[in-house]
Amino acid sequence: MDDIIRPKKLRLYNALKIGYFRNENKQCKRLKRFGYRLDSELTNREHMVAFNPYTKKLLFVSNGTQPNSLTDLASDLVIGLGGSPRYNKRIDEHKNALLKAKQRYGVDKAVIVGHSLGGNTAHYIGSADDKIISYNPALINQKVRANETILKTKFDPVSALANNAKTIDSEGPSNIVGATVV
């Protein structure tokens, strides 16, 4: 194991940003700053799995809509029309990856973060023990769970429809920098 000297606190902004990186080496390098190791076997273009061997914390990042994914675009359309994409392929894949990661690392809890459609996915895959944080989620007419925090940008067209009591309005992405994930 590599030595890690005083890892920084992982903030929501950083977790989401690292999740969108398409270069595995860049993801590994950035995660190392926070004490995490990328699980490249369980990570793909739609989600990222990382584990901190020192704190025994599991991080699952669910990315927003992939423009080249017909499933994601169809889910966006269903949500936009007021439906629920609860039973789509992405949610099943993410739930399976999360369960495999929990088994692999021997943990019962995970921190699940998501953005936009990924926030919707995080809502459905998390258990009651998980910490779920979503930024501008596509959660329309969905009940926010007790272990879920939603951050939305003022005037965001998708998250504006998610009128939940636990929603925290922010002026933009710069305001999520201070939101601690783990």
Side-chain angles (χ1 to χ4, degrees):
M1 261 191 207
D2 298 330
D3 290 330
I4 297 175
I5 301 171
R6 292 183 295 151
K8 299 176 181 181
K9 285 186 177 182
L10 182 60
R11 308 284 183 190
L12 179 60
Y13 175 82
N14 298 110
L16 292 172
K17 184 175 180 180
I18 295 168
Y20 278 108
F21 287 159
R22 294 294 160 241
N23 181 310
E24 187 176 317
N25 290 334
K26 194 172 182 181
Q27 281 180 312
C28 290
K29 186 177 178 181
R30 289 287 176 91
L31 284 168
K32 187 176 178 181
R33 291 181 186 177
F34 304 101
Y36 283 84
R37 304 236 188 310
L38 179 72
D39 187 324
S40 55
E41 187 179 310
L42 295 177
T43 297
N44 64 27
R45 195 169 178 82
E46 295 174 346
H47 65 266
M48 177 185 77
V49 176
F51 184 71
N52 186 321
Y54 304 101
T55 61
K56 307 292 186 216
K57 293 201 176 185
L58 179 64
L59 172 66
F60 190 97
V61 178
S62 183
N63 295 332
T65 302
Q66 300 297 317
N68 59 345
S69 168
L70 292 177
T71 303
D72 284 2
L73 296 172
S75 293
D76 285 343
L77 182 62
V78 169
I79 291 168
L81 296 173
S84 172
R86 180 182 311 200
Y87 303 106
N88 75 28
K89 182 180 171 187
R90 177 191 259 232
I91 291 172
D92 292 340
E93 288 173 356
H94 286 214
K95 189 162 191 88
N96 288 335
L98 178 61
L99 292 173
K100 283 180 186 176
K102 285 180 177 182
Q103 289 174 344
R104 179 175 289 174
Y105 298 109
V107 297
D108 296 326
K109 300 176 185 178
V111 175
I112 306 169
V113 298
H115 166 249
S116 192
L117 181 60
N120 183 286
T121 303
H123 173 81
Y124 289 110
I125 69 169
S127 70
D129 293 330
D130 296 325
K131 178 180 178 181
I132 303 168
I133 305 170
S134 300
Y135 178 61
N136 285 343
L139 285 175
I140 300 170
N141 298 323
Q142 301 298 316
K143 194 172 191 172
V144 178
R145 298 162 62 183
N147 58 331
E148 190 171 19
T149 301
I150 294 175
L151 300 166
K152 69 177 186 175
T153 306
K154 235 180 212 178
F155 310 117
D156 175 63
V158 175
S159 62
L161 298 173
N163 52 355
N164 300 301
K166 289 191 72 175
T167 301
I168 302 166
D169 284 328
S170 68
E171 294 296 326
S174 61
N175 287 359
I176 68 167
V177 172
T180 303
V181 173
V182 285

